[in-house]
Amino acid sequence: MRKLKHFIVSTLFLFIVWIALTGVKDNQELIMGAIVSILVSIFLLRCDSIFAEIRLNPKSLLYLIIYIFVFIVELIKSNIDVAFRVLHPKIPINPGIVKVRTKLKSRIGRLFLANSITLTPGTLTVETDEDFFYIHWIDVGTKDIESTTRAIVGSFEKYLEVIFG
């Protein structure tokens, strides 16, 4: 039963990604996407799949939708912040690498968190080590782990924890 759930989740996830990337213009692309998604999912059944960590319930799907909007808002805010720093005559930056702590236990949750941090301008995930991420930050305000965690990870982690655990 567990393998069937993993197969269905990974197939649906891959198929949705296929649709998002190709922009599906006809039925042949849909059929091909379904076939490729099924074949890759069969292959993933033999591997230790990170898709197995995805929670598939109404609450996690709702949080995924909310997370997308939160990510877009954070993306816009960080773009404006970096643009201001670039256009400012004195370029007010204080770059450095900070250590943040995550509560996420699943590999895919940590993967999403690391990529979310990296995709927002002004931050870059440099390394992960157990419960800690090392982040290059364009304007280090504090080196306190709790403060930097709230500033960088706080807006993403509460949603990812519900989605992935």
Side-chain angles (χ1 to χ4, degrees):
M1 185 66 173
R2 188 169 173 93
K3 284 199 177 235
L4 178 63
K5 177 189 168 199
H6 297 234
F7 174 77
I8 292 170
V9 168
S10 61
T11 301
L12 287 174
F13 178 78
L14 292 169
F15 189 60
I16 290 168
V17 169
W18 176 280
I19 291 171
L21 292 177
T22 61
V24 182
K25 296 176 183 53
D26 58 28
N27 289 337
Q28 288 178 339
E29 288 179 3
L30 274 177
I31 293 168
M32 192 60 175
I35 291 170
V36 169
S37 299
I38 290 169
L39 292 175
V40 171
S41 294
I42 290 170
F43 173 74
L44 288 176
L45 279 176
R46 298 176 186 213
C47 303
D48 183 22
S49 175
I50 62 173
F51 294 114
E53 298 172 353
I54 297 174
R55 295 179 180 167
L56 194 58
N57 57 48
K59 184 178 180 181
S60 66
L61 292 175
L62 174 66
Y63 271 65
L64 178 63
I65 293 167
I66 294 169
Y67 173 76
I68 290 169
F69 287 107
V70 168
F71 177 74
I72 290 170
V73 167
E74 290 298 319
L75 186 66
I76 292 169
K77 285 177 15 185
S78 62
N79 272 294
I80 292 169
D81 180 59
V82 171
F84 167 77
R85 293 177 192 285
V86 169
L87 296 174
H88 195 277
K90 294 186 181 179
I91 305 180
I93 63 171
N94 180 26
I97 295 180
V98 294
K99 184 177 183 180
V100 298
R101 177 180 287 126
T102 181
K103 296 182 281 187
L104 299 174
K105 300 299 177 200
S106 71
R107 293 176 298 164
I108 194 165
R110 290 179 182 195
L111 175 72
F112 263 75
L113 179 60
N115 284 313
S116 297
I117 291 168
T118 298
L119 287 171
T120 52
T123 54
L124 176 72
T125 305
V126 179
E127 186 178 343
T128 63
D129 180 30
E130 298 293 323
D131 291 341
F132 297 99
F133 287 6
Y134 294 90
I135 311 294
H136 182 275
W137 197 8
I138 195 170
D139 190 35
V140 177
T142 179
K143 295 221 180 217
D144 175 50
I145 293 176
E146 300 307 318
S147 299
T148 55
T149 299
R150 277 192 305 279
I152 297 173
V153 176
S155 57
F156 301 131
E157 193 173 50
K158 61 185 172 186
Y159 300 105
L160 293 175
E161 193 169 17
V162 174
I163 299 166
F164 303 112

